PDB file of all heavy atoms in Angstrom:
ATOM      1  N   ILE A 331      96.833  80.509  85.095  1.00 98.00           N
ATOM      2  CA  ILE A 331      95.424  80.139  84.910  1.00 98.00           C
ATOM      3  C   ILE A 331      95.214  79.096  83.812  1.00 98.00           C
ATOM      4  O   ILE A 331      94.292  78.287  83.893  1.00 98.00           O
ATOM      5  CB  ILE A 331      94.550  81.401  84.646  1.00 98.00           C
ATOM      6  CG1 ILE A 331      93.058  81.065  84.625  1.00 98.00           C
ATOM      7  CG2 ILE A 331      94.946  82.119  83.370  1.00 98.00           C
ATOM      8  CD1 ILE A 331      92.488  80.658  85.954  1.00 98.00           C
ATOM      9  N   SER A 332      96.059  79.100  82.769  1.00 98.00           N
ATOM     10  CA  SER A 332      95.836  78.166  81.665  1.00 98.00           C
ATOM     11  C   SER A 332      97.173  77.822  81.007  1.00 98.00           C
ATOM     12  O   SER A 332      98.169  78.529  81.192  1.00 98.00           O
ATOM     13  CB  SER A 332      94.901  78.776  80.611  1.00 98.00           C
ATOM     14  OG  SER A 332      95.557  79.861  79.974  1.00 98.00           O
ATOM     15  N   ARG A 333      97.155  76.746  80.244  1.00 98.00           N
ATOM     16  CA  ARG A 333      98.378  76.335  79.541  1.00 98.00           C
ATOM     17  C   ARG A 333      98.806  77.415  78.538  1.00 98.00           C
ATOM     18  O   ARG A 333      99.972  77.761  78.434  1.00 98.00           O
ATOM     19  CB  ARG A 333      98.104  75.014  78.804  1.00 98.00           C
ATOM     20  CG  ARG A 333      99.336  74.339  78.247  1.00 98.00           C
ATOM     21  CD  ARG A 333      99.001  72.996  77.602  1.00 98.00           C
ATOM     22  NE  ARG A 333      98.190  72.126  78.447  1.00 98.00           N
ATOM     23  CZ  ARG A 333      98.636  71.407  79.477  1.00 98.00           C
ATOM     24  NH1 ARG A 333      99.907  71.445  79.791  1.00 98.00           N
ATOM     25  NH2 ARG A 333      97.819  70.660  80.181  1.00 98.00           N
ATOM     26  N   GLU A 334      97.824  77.972  77.806  1.00 98.00           N
ATOM     27  CA  GLU A 334      98.146  78.993  76.797  1.00 98.00           C
ATOM     28  C   GLU A 334      98.804  80.197  77.468  1.00 98.00           C
ATOM     29  O   GLU A 334      99.768  80.752  76.963  1.00 98.00           O
ATOM     30  CB  GLU A 334      96.875  79.487  76.069  1.00 98.00           C
ATOM     31  CG  GLU A 334      96.131  78.438  75.263  1.00 98.00           C
ATOM     32  CD  GLU A 334      95.445  77.395  76.146  1.00 98.00           C
ATOM     33  OE1 GLU A 334      94.921  77.743  77.225  1.00 98.00           O
ATOM     34  OE2 GLU A 334      95.453  76.210  75.768  1.00 98.00           O
ATOM     35  N   HIS A 335      98.238  80.590  78.604  1.00 98.00           N
ATOM     36  CA  HIS A 335      98.774  81.768  79.283  1.00 98.00           C
ATOM     37  C   HIS A 335     100.181  81.479  79.815  1.00 98.00           C
ATOM     38  O   HIS A 335     101.089  82.299  79.655  1.00 98.00           O
ATOM     39  CB  HIS A 335      97.839  82.200  80.411  1.00 98.00           C
ATOM     40  CG  HIS A 335      98.255  83.492  81.054  1.00 98.00           C
ATOM     41  ND1 HIS A 335      98.497  84.641  80.327  1.00 98.00           N
ATOM     42  CD2 HIS A 335      98.514  83.813  82.354  1.00 98.00           C
ATOM     43  CE1 HIS A 335      98.873  85.611  81.147  1.00 98.00           C
ATOM     44  NE2 HIS A 335      98.891  85.133  82.381  1.00 98.00           N
ATOM     45  N   ARG A 336     100.366  80.294  80.393  1.00 98.00           N
ATOM     46  CA  ARG A 336     101.706  79.935  80.893  1.00 98.00           C
ATOM     47  C   ARG A 336     102.710  79.980  79.735  1.00 98.00           C
ATOM     48  O   ARG A 336     103.807  80.544  79.869  1.00 98.00           O
ATOM     49  CB  ARG A 336     101.657  78.540  81.528  1.00 98.00           C
ATOM     50  CG  ARG A 336     102.870  78.150  82.345  1.00 98.00           C
ATOM     51  CD  ARG A 336     103.969  77.438  81.555  1.00 98.00           C
ATOM     52  NE  ARG A 336     103.484  76.435  80.647  1.00 98.00           N
ATOM     53  CZ  ARG A 336     103.260  75.166  80.984  1.00 98.00           C
ATOM     54  NH1 ARG A 336     103.469  74.770  82.207  1.00 98.00           N
ATOM     55  NH2 ARG A 336     102.835  74.301  80.075  1.00 98.00           N
ATOM     56  N   ASP A 337     102.338  79.407  78.581  1.00 98.00           N
ATOM     57  CA  ASP A 337     103.264  79.369  77.448  1.00 98.00           C
ATOM     58  C   ASP A 337     103.556  80.780  76.921  1.00 98.00           C
ATOM     59  O   ASP A 337     104.674  81.089  76.526  1.00 98.00           O
ATOM     60  CB  ASP A 337     102.698  78.488  76.325  1.00 98.00           C
ATOM     61  CG  ASP A 337     102.638  77.018  76.749  1.00 98.00           C
ATOM     62  OD1 ASP A 337     103.242  76.672  77.794  1.00 98.00           O
ATOM     63  OD2 ASP A 337     101.978  76.221  76.044  1.00 98.00           O
ATOM     64  N   ARG A 338     102.533  81.614  76.943  1.00 98.00           N
ATOM     65  CA  ARG A 338     102.734  82.991  76.475  1.00 98.00           C
ATOM     66  C   ARG A 338     103.723  83.728  77.385  1.00 98.00           C
ATOM     67  O   ARG A 338     104.640  84.399  76.922  1.00 98.00           O
ATOM     68  CB  ARG A 338     101.392  83.737  76.450  1.00 98.00           C
ATOM     69  CG  ARG A 338     101.445  85.090  75.777  1.00 98.00           C
ATOM     70  CD  ARG A 338     100.099  85.814  75.851  1.00 98.00           C
ATOM     71  NE  ARG A 338      99.870  86.438  77.146  1.00 98.00           N
ATOM     72  CZ  ARG A 338     100.370  87.611  77.529  1.00 98.00           C
ATOM     73  NH1 ARG A 338     101.096  88.330  76.714  1.00 98.00           N
ATOM     74  NH2 ARG A 338     100.122  88.099  78.736  1.00 98.00           N
ATOM     75  N   VAL A 339     103.528  83.557  78.707  1.00 98.00           N
ATOM     76  CA  VAL A 339     104.412  84.234  79.667  1.00 98.00           C
ATOM     77  C   VAL A 339     105.838  83.697  79.523  1.00 98.00           C
ATOM     78  O   VAL A 339     106.813  84.468  79.475  1.00 98.00           O
ATOM     79  CB  VAL A 339     103.888  84.052  81.114  1.00 98.00           C
ATOM     80  CG1 VAL A 339     104.872  84.645  82.121  1.00 98.00           C
ATOM     81  CG2 VAL A 339     102.513  84.706  81.270  1.00 98.00           C
ATOM     82  N   ALA A 340     105.965  82.375  79.402  1.00 98.00           N
ATOM     83  CA  ALA A 340     107.304  81.773  79.267  1.00 98.00           C
ATOM     84  C   ALA A 340     107.990  82.254  77.992  1.00 98.00           C
ATOM     85  O   ALA A 340     109.227  82.358  77.938  1.00 98.00           O
ATOM     86  CB  ALA A 340     107.183  80.247  79.260  1.00 98.00           C
ATOM     87  N   GLY A 341     107.203  82.591  76.985  1.00 97.00           N
ATOM     88  CA  GLY A 341     107.756  83.062  75.712  1.00 97.00           C
ATOM     89  C   GLY A 341     108.605  84.321  75.870  1.00 97.00           C
ATOM     90  O   GLY A 341     109.566  84.532  75.126  1.00 97.00           O
ATOM     91  N   TYR A 342     108.267  85.150  76.870  1.00 97.00           N
ATOM     92  CA  TYR A 342     109.039  86.374  77.084  1.00 97.00           C
ATOM     93  C   TYR A 342     110.454  86.043  77.576  1.00 97.00           C
ATOM     94  O   TYR A 342     111.379  86.817  77.363  1.00 97.00           O
ATOM     95  CB  TYR A 342     108.338  87.277  78.108  1.00 97.00           C
ATOM     96  CG  TYR A 342     107.103  87.936  77.550  1.00 97.00           C
ATOM     97  CD1 TYR A 342     105.851  87.360  77.719  1.00 97.00           C
ATOM     98  CD2 TYR A 342     107.185  89.121  76.834  1.00 97.00           C
ATOM     99  CE1 TYR A 342     104.713  87.954  77.204  1.00 97.00           C
ATOM    100  CE2 TYR A 342     106.054  89.731  76.313  1.00 97.00           C
ATOM    101  CZ  TYR A 342     104.818  89.134  76.494  1.00 97.00           C
ATOM    102  OH  TYR A 342     103.700  89.726  75.969  1.00 97.00           O
ATOM    103  N   LEU A 343     110.589  84.885  78.219  1.00 97.00           N
ATOM    104  CA  LEU A 343     111.920  84.488  78.716  1.00 97.00           C
ATOM    105  C   LEU A 343     112.729  83.855  77.585  1.00 97.00           C
ATOM    106  O   LEU A 343     113.956  83.905  77.582  1.00 97.00           O
ATOM    107  CB  LEU A 343     111.767  83.500  79.880  1.00 97.00           C
ATOM    108  CG  LEU A 343     110.989  84.063  81.072  1.00 97.00           C
ATOM    109  CD1 LEU A 343     110.546  82.949  82.000  1.00 97.00           C
ATOM    110  CD2 LEU A 343     111.838  85.083  81.820  1.00 97.00           C
ATOM    111  N   ALA A 344     112.026  83.261  76.625  1.00 95.00           N
ATOM    112  CA  ALA A 344     112.714  82.616  75.503  1.00 95.00           C
ATOM    113  C   ALA A 344     113.302  83.656  74.552  1.00 95.00           C
ATOM    114  O   ALA A 344     114.292  83.393  73.876  1.00 95.00           O
ATOM    115  CB  ALA A 344     111.734  81.716  74.750  1.00 95.00           C
ATOM    116  N   GLU A 345     112.668  84.824  74.509  1.00 92.00           N
ATOM    117  CA  GLU A 345     113.163  85.861  73.580  1.00 92.00           C
ATOM    118  C   GLU A 345     113.368  87.164  74.345  1.00 92.00           C
ATOM    119  O   GLU A 345     112.619  88.133  74.166  1.00 92.00           O
ATOM    120  CB  GLU A 345     112.163  86.064  72.448  1.00 92.00           C
ATOM    121  CG  GLU A 345     112.115  84.875  71.506  1.00 92.00           C
ATOM    122  CD  GLU A 345     111.087  85.065  70.409  1.00 92.00           C
ATOM    123  OE1 GLU A 345     110.914  86.199  69.937  1.00 92.00           O
ATOM    124  OE2 GLU A 345     110.467  84.064  70.042  1.00 92.00           O
ATOM    125  N   PRO A 346     114.393  87.202  75.186  1.00 90.00           N
ATOM    126  CA  PRO A 346     114.558  88.392  76.027  1.00 90.00           C
ATOM    127  C   PRO A 346     115.201  89.576  75.299  1.00 90.00           C
ATOM    128  O   PRO A 346     115.276  90.668  75.848  1.00 90.00           O
ATOM    129  CB  PRO A 346     115.478  87.897  77.141  1.00 90.00           C
ATOM    130  CG  PRO A 346     116.258  86.790  76.532  1.00 90.00           C
ATOM    131  CD  PRO A 346     115.397  86.172  75.476  1.00 90.00           C
ATOM    132  N   GLY A 347     115.641  89.379  74.061  1.00 89.00           N
ATOM    133  CA  GLY A 347     116.298  90.478  73.339  1.00 89.00           C
ATOM    134  C   GLY A 347     117.564  90.879  74.079  1.00 89.00           C
ATOM    135  O   GLY A 347     118.360  90.030  74.504  1.00 89.00           O
ATOM    136  N   ALA A 348     117.719  92.199  74.278  1.00 90.00           N
ATOM    137  CA  ALA A 348     118.946  92.696  74.918  1.00 90.00           C
ATOM    138  C   ALA A 348     118.900  92.570  76.441  1.00 90.00           C
ATOM    139  O   ALA A 348     119.878  92.875  77.128  1.00 90.00           O
ATOM    140  CB  ALA A 348     119.147  94.152  74.530  1.00 90.00           C
TER     141      ALA A 348
END
Side-chain angles (χ1 to χ4, degrees):
I331 187 68
S332 67
R333 191 177 310 282
E334 297 70 37
H335 186 53
R336 192 270 316 273
D337 293 348
R338 189 183 79 81
V339 175
Y342 287 94
L343 300 164
E345 290 178 36

